[in-house]
């Protein structure tokens, strides 16, 4: 199969209506002609943390969400995309629980990275750890084995708790490759068309490196997993938050990549009324990308925007976001902060709220996203022009909950009536249906307070014009009769 050049939806299994059946009903009732690119269902598997991102297995669906039959049912009308946390699995998984009982005697022991796989004597060396791109204070957790009461230190890149809920997998192990093959074969049986490789940048652990996107070892793994996916007619989407040069290397090797630069760049364009950086970026980026504005985490800043932003200017932009109710995720390791101490990893907010709930600014942002070459993804909160959910942050103590509101069926129905949502649905239909988006893309010259983008193919062409002084957008296009029509976005 090949990825369709149409708009996709990103949603949790329970965030539109409460479960997968409700999601399917909502999709069929309201969005059958909207998400022709597919539905990215954030982890629907049994999980012990991180809202699905600490999965116990990929062979089952969390019962409170539904079953594989529900995924298959969604797959009848939409291409389904799911995540595979290729770097880690839950500590509650049967695999790690067996290891906790039996230690090295467990038949699953080789799935995990005990510290002696890195340091001969199993004792971590501070100087090695200081070079690593850390996501928590220490990259390992200590566990006590039931059978012999001995301590085992096991690699855990992620995790809010100590010990972590997310246990790293040793991708050098044949047993891990066998397990991943089993997961992919199950995806194929259940009509999954695209798999996002979440946290793939962290899979190689090598002393003397940052343990992030370690070359060339990562390409050996990527080639292996690409071969596996291709053999099952599944597309791969590696998810890597990194310096743009790393993304470009993946693109050069033929992989789809995520455009994590666009969300910040569009925000900067609209807040500072200047298209200079945006136009330069759109002229130079790879085109084989998935584009987004919002997601379940936040607007990427460091390391995605490294060397693309001035940190003083970035501080000002971040302060505007904070004034508008956003919260921040910060870089942990000092070595990966900017020399002046700038340490913002992600800006967490609803994209509609960070644009001050200004309908025209929000539509301008979406129009620019949809005109940027690539496959546009729309996050469910953004689809419904949802605003910052401060209550959820207070209740859960998790900053990312600000943009993870669960919509009841009634809330979905109310949101769809909003004028801005109707405007967005109309724009999505245009992006899905207008033929020129399969053609040639051109960034047209324009004043600094304007954006002008063009797509053309054969006799069809469409031109987006955004006035950054007013945030008004319009699309001029050649219609089916060969005349020119104007569409006010």
């Amino acid at each position: 199969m090949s990825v369709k050049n149409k708009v996709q939806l990103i949603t949790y299994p329970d965030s539109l209506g409460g479960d997968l059946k409700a999601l399917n009903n909502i999709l069929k009732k309201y969005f059958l002609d909207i998400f022709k690119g597919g539905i990215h269902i954030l982890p629907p598997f049994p999980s012990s943390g991180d809202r699905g991102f600490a999965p116990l297995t990929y062979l089952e669906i969390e019962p409170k969400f539904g079953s594989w039959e529900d995924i298959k049912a969604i797959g009848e009308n939409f291409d389904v995309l799911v995540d595979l946390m290729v770097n880690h699995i839950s500590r509650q998984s049967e695999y790690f629980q067996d290891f906790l009982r039996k230690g090295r005697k467990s038949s699953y022991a080789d799935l995990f990275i005990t510290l002696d796989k890195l340091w001969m004597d199993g004792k971590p060396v501070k100087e090695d750890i200081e070079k690593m791109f850390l996501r928590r204070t220490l990259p390992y957790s200590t566990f006590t084995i039931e059978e012999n009461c001995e301590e085992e230190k096991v690699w855990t890149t992620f995790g809010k708790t100590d010990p972590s809920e997310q246990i790293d997998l040793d991708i050098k192990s044949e047993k891990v490759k066998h397990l991943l093959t089993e997961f992919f074969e199950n995806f194929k049986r259940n009509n999954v068309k695209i798999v996002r490789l979440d946290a793939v940048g962290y899979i190689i652990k090598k002393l003397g490196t940052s343990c992030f996107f370690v070359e060339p070892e990562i390409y050996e793994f990527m080639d292996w997993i690409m071969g596996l996916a291709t053999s099952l007619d599944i597309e791969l989407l590696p998810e890597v938050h990194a310096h743009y040069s790393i993304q470009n290397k993946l693109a050069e090797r033929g992989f789809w990549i995520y455009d994590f630069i666009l969300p910040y760049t569009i925000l900067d364009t609209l807040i500072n009324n200047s298209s200079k950086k945006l136009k330069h970026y759109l002229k130079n980026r790879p085109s084989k990308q998935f584009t987004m504005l919002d997601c379940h985490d936040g607007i990427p800043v460091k390391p995605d925007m490294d060397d693309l932003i001035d940190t003083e200017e970035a501080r000002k932009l971040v302060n505007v976001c904070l004034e508008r109710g956003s919260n921040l995720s910060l870089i942990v390791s000092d070595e990966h902060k900017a020399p002046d101490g700038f340490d913002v990893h992600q800006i967490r907010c609803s994209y509609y709220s960070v644009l001050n709930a200004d309908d025209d600014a929000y539509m301008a942002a979406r129009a620019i996203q949809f005109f940027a070459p690539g496959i546009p993804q729309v996050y469910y909160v953004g689809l419904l022009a949802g605003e910052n959910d401060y209550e959820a942050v207070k209740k859960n103590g998790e900053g990312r909950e600000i943009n993870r509101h669960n919509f009841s069926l009634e809330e979905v129905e109310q949101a769809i009536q909003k004028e801005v949502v109707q405007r967005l649905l109309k724009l999505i239909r245009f992006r899905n249906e207008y033929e020129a988006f399969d053609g040639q893309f051109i960034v047209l010259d324009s004043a600094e307070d304007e954006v002008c983008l063009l797509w053309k193919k054969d006799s069809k062409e469409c031109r987006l014009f955004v006035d950054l002084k007013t945030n008004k957008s319009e699309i001029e296009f050649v219609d089916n009769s060969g005349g020119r029509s104007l569409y006010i976005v």
Side-chain angles (χ1 to χ4, degrees):
M1 69 157 292
S2 60
V3 174
K4 294 179 181 129
N5 184 16
K6 312 281 184 189
V7 180
Q8 292 185 352
L9 173 70
I10 315 172
T11 179
Y12 284 101
D14 58 339
S15 53
L16 292 174
D19 61 21
L20 289 165
K21 275 192 178 61
L23 171 62
N24 194 23
N25 290 336
I26 286 169
L27 291 173
K28 288 194 293 187
K29 184 173 179 182
Y30 299 111
F31 306 118
L32 205 51
D33 65 332
I34 298 295
F35 296 110
K36 294 185 172 181
I39 311 295
H40 177 178
I41 302 173
L42 294 166
F45 316 108
S47 171
S48 60
D50 200 11
R51 192 151 179 187
F53 283 87
L56 277 67
T57 178
Y58 296 87
L59 303 176
E60 299 164 29
I61 299 297
E62 168 58 47
K64 69 181 179 193
F65 300 149
S67 68
W68 277 113
E69 291 307 309
D70 297 315
I71 300 279
K72 272 203 256 191
I74 293 170
E76 284 170 20
N77 295 302
F78 306 92
D79 286 353
V80 172
L81 187 160
V82 297
D83 298 88
L84 178 71
M85 273 53 74
V86 72
N87 178 71
H88 51 262
I89 202 153
S90 170
R91 96 185 215 209
Q92 308 301 332
S93 66
E94 63 170 304
Y95 319 108
F96 194 69
Q97 286 296 307
D98 193 74
F99 174 75
L100 280 183
R101 282 191 298 275
K102 303 172 190 168
R104 301 297 174 101
K105 291 181 193 167
S106 167
S107 57
Y108 300 120
D110 197 43
L111 295 180
F112 311 110
I113 305 170
T114 48
L115 295 198
D116 57 305
K117 286 186 175 182
L118 285 158
W119 292 284
M120 288 284 287
D121 57 4
K123 290 179 182 167
V125 176
K126 187 167 172 274
E127 290 75 16
D128 290 326
I129 290 172
E130 282 171 352
K131 290 180 181 143
M132 297 171 190
F133 182 67
L134 298 177
R135 296 302 303 270
R136 56 206 302 273
T137 314
L138 287 172
Y140 57 85
S141 295
T142 305
F143 296 94
T144 303
I145 303 304
E146 284 175 30
E147 216 167 81
N148 54 21
C149 295
E150 285 179 8
E151 280 196 346
E152 282 280 13
K153 289 184 170 61
V154 177
W155 206 267
T156 52
T157 299
F158 298 93
K160 289 269 186 330
T161 58
D162 195 30
S164 173
E165 278 296 327
Q166 291 153 298
I167 312 295
D168 286 39
L169 293 167
D170 181 1
I171 55 93
K172 290 180 183 172
S173 163
E174 284 305 313
K175 288 194 172 182
V176 167
K177 288 182 175 169
H178 179 77
L179 193 63
L180 294 176
T181 302
E182 195 181 351
F183 294 156
F184 266 87
E185 287 170 349
N186 186 55
F187 291 153
K188 173 68 176 173
R189 280 193 296 276
N190 289 290
N191 218 2
V192 169
K193 297 291 199 301
I194 310 169
V195 172
R196 183 175 80 155
L197 296 180
D198 190 80
V200 70
Y202 297 91
I203 59 169
I204 306 292
K205 282 75 177 177
K206 186 178 179 183
L207 298 184
T209 74
S210 66
C211 289
F212 180 81
F213 208 87
V214 178
E215 301 171 273
E217 288 87 345
I218 190 157
Y219 300 126
E220 293 164 19
F221 175 78
M222 294 298 291
D223 290 345
W224 174 81
I225 204 161
M226 176 66 104
L228 171 62
T230 304
S231 73
L232 297 166
D233 204 23
I234 291 173
E235 289 273 0
L236 281 188
L237 172 59
E239 185 250 17
V240 180
H241 281 287
H243 190 276
Y244 68 89
S245 60
I246 285 178
Q247 294 275 29
N248 292 354
K249 284 175 183 176
L250 280 172
E252 282 161 17
R253 297 176 80 93
F255 287 97
W256 284 99
I257 57 172
Y258 255 116
D259 191 341
F260 289 133
I261 294 166
L262 200 61
Y264 181 98
T265 307
I266 289 177
L267 186 63
D268 181 60
T269 300
L270 290 165
I271 286 177
N272 293 315
N273 312 115
S274 168
S275 61
K276 194 173 165 188
K277 291 176 200 158
L278 175 71
K279 286 185 287 200
H280 178 264
Y281 174 60
L282 289 176
K283 284 176 184 173
N284 294 288
R285 67 193 273 284
S287 56
K288 192 178 175 180
Q289 304 205 47
F290 279 59
T291 69
M292 40 84 83
L293 293 182
D294 43 0
C295 69
H296 64 286
D297 281 338
I299 297 167
V301 186
K302 285 186 68 64
D304 306 83
M305 302 300 299
D306 285 351
D307 298 334
L308 296 173
I309 50 172
D310 173 87
T311 52
E312 275 312 302
E313 288 176 19
R315 276 183 208 280
K316 288 176 191 165
L317 186 77
V318 166
N319 287 336
V320 171
C321 297
L322 290 172
E323 283 163 22
R324 294 178 180 182
S326 307
N327 66 64
L328 305 175
S329 160
L330 303 175
I331 296 281
V332 175
S333 46
D334 289 336
E335 194 170 316
H336 295 91
K337 295 173 185 174
D340 65 356
F342 182 72
D343 61 351
V344 179
H345 176 51
Q346 292 176 341
I347 302 164
R348 301 189 294 209
C349 56
S350 120
Y351 214 89
Y352 185 64
S353 289
V354 84
L355 292 173
N356 253 352
D358 177 328
D359 289 4
D360 288 339
Y362 185 62
M363 290 308 299
R366 286 294 175 195
I368 294 167
Q369 180 202 359
F370 291 176
F371 266 70
I375 309 300
Q377 289 191 325
V378 176
Y379 184 60
Y380 75 99
V381 178
L383 167 69
L384 300 174
E387 300 191 34
N388 290 340
D389 190 342
Y390 304 113
E391 280 306 306
V393 175
K394 224 181 283 179
K395 186 178 163 191
N396 295 290
E398 164 60 76
R400 291 176 297 181
E401 290 292 322
I402 196 167
N403 197 32
R404 295 179 175 184
H405 181 73
N406 286 331
F407 289 81
S408 67
L409 187 54
E410 294 72 31
E411 285 176 315
V412 172
E413 286 168 350
Q414 284 166 10
I416 285 169
Q417 307 307 317
K418 291 196 286 195
E419 186 194 352
V420 66
V421 175
Q422 287 298 318
R423 286 169 68 183
L424 178 55
L425 296 179
K426 183 181 176 185
L427 181 63
I428 292 172
R429 286 189 187 99
F430 182 83
R431 173 63 180 78
N432 283 340
E433 291 158 17
Y434 197 73
E435 302 96 311
F437 288 106
D438 285 320
Q440 181 190 3
F441 172 72
I442 302 165
V443 179
L444 297 170
D445 290 335
S446 64
E448 194 173 320
D449 57 9
E450 297 171 351
V451 178
C452 204
L453 308 174
L454 177 74
W455 279 94
K456 60 180 186 179
K457 184 184 182 187
D458 303 328
S459 62
K460 293 291 175 80
E461 65 174 55
C462 58
R463 182 186 67 107
L464 170 68
F465 175 78
V466 180
D467 182 343
L468 297 173
K469 298 184 294 295
T470 62
N471 291 328
K472 300 281 187 191
S473 313
E474 61 184 40
I475 297 170
E476 186 186 326
F477 64 98
V478 176
D479 58 32
N480 288 334
S481 64
R484 290 193 170 265
S485 292
L486 192 65
Y487 159 28
I488 307 300
V489 175

